[in-house]
């Protein structure tokens, strides 16, 4: 009977030891759980802030994409405008050349009109001289 009692006492001691170990393990888990519980709000705030930041970044990326598309289309318009400006400059150059040619032609016409006026003056002078000579000739012939 003593052996039974001894075995029962050993079993009781072993069970008490296991219970102590289990209790210590549970207390450690409780401490860790409390630590995680106290950290949970901080992590939730961090996650919430990161989620908000991610959403803000998505919105910003979308805005940048839209602005990029607008710039691409504006660049197309800008290229067209640049091409039109170049054509306009070329046309202005041609118009200026044409105006210069017209001015040169007008200048030559004026010079020719002056020469014509001089020649007409000389012609009238010579016609007058011929008439005078014909008059003298007629007087001279009449004398003969």
């Amino acid at each position: 009977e003593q052996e039974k009692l001894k075995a029962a006492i050993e079993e009781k001691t072993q069970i008490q030891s296991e219970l102590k170990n289990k209790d210590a393990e549970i207390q450690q888990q409780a401490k860790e759980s409390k630590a995680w519980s106290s950290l949970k709000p901080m992590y939730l705030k961090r996650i919430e802030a990161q989620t908000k930041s991610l959403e803000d970044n998505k919105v910003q990326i979308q805005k940048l994409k839209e602005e990029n598309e607008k710039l691409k289309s504006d660049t197309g318009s800008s290229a067209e405008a640049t091409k039109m400006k170049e054509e306009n400059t070329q046309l202005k150059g041609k118009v200026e050349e044409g105006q210069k040619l017209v001015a040169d032609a007008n200048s030559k016409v004026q010079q020719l009109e002056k020469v014509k006026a001089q020649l007409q003056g000389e012609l009238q002078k010579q016609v007058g001289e011929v008439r005078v000579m014909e008059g003298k000739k007629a007087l001279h012939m009449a004398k003969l």
Side-chain angles (χ1 to χ4, degrees), residues 1-142:
E1 229 175 82
Q2 268 191 340
E3 282 185 28
K4 281 185 180 178
L5 187 58
K6 206 177 187 184
I9 290 174
E10 275 183 37
E11 192 178 340
K12 179 183 170 192
T13 306
Q14 187 180 359
I15 290 174
Q16 281 179 339
S17 175
E18 286 177 10
L19 283 175
K20 247 186 186 178
N21 288 342
K22 202 61 153 161
D23 189 44
E25 197 177 301
I26 289 173
Q27 284 181 359
Q28 182 62 31
Q29 286 178 350
K31 281 182 183 179
E32 288 174 6
S33 179
K34 269 188 177 181
W36 279 110
S37 293
S38 67
L39 292 175
K40 185 179 177 182
M42 181 182 72
Y43 281 114
L44 286 176
K45 284 181 183 177
R46 212 181 259 177
I47 290 170
E48 188 177 308
Q50 288 176 346
T51 303
K52 185 178 181 333
S53 176
L54 181 65
E55 291 300 318
D56 290 346
N57 287 344
K58 284 181 181 178
V59 168
Q60 188 68 22
I61 287 170
Q62 185 60 36
K63 285 181 182 177
L64 289 173
K65 281 182 181 178
E66 290 170 3
E67 192 172 318
N68 190 23
E69 288 301 317
K70 184 180 178 206
L71 285 174
K72 282 181 184 177
S73 68
D74 286 352
T75 301
S77 298
S78 179
E80 250 182 68
T82 303
K83 183 179 176 184
M84 291 176 78
K85 283 181 185 176
E86 288 174 6
E87 288 176 1
N88 194 15
T89 303
Q90 290 174 354
L91 289 174
K92 282 182 182 177
K94 288 181 181 179
V95 166
E96 288 172 1
E97 277 181 47
Q99 288 174 337
K100 185 178 176 189
L101 290 173
V102 167
D104 289 347
N106 283 338
S107 174
K108 287 182 182 179
V109 166
Q110 287 175 349
Q111 288 175 353
L112 290 173
E113 285 179 351
K114 285 180 185 177
V115 169
K116 178 183 170 186
Q118 286 175 349
L119 290 174
Q120 282 179 338
E122 285 182 31
L123 181 62
Q124 286 177 351
K125 182 179 171 187
Q126 287 176 358
V127 166
E129 287 177 4
V130 167
R131 287 189 181 152
V132 168
M133 289 172 92
E134 283 177 351
K136 287 182 181 179
K137 178 183 172 187
L139 280 175
H140 188 60
M141 289 294 242

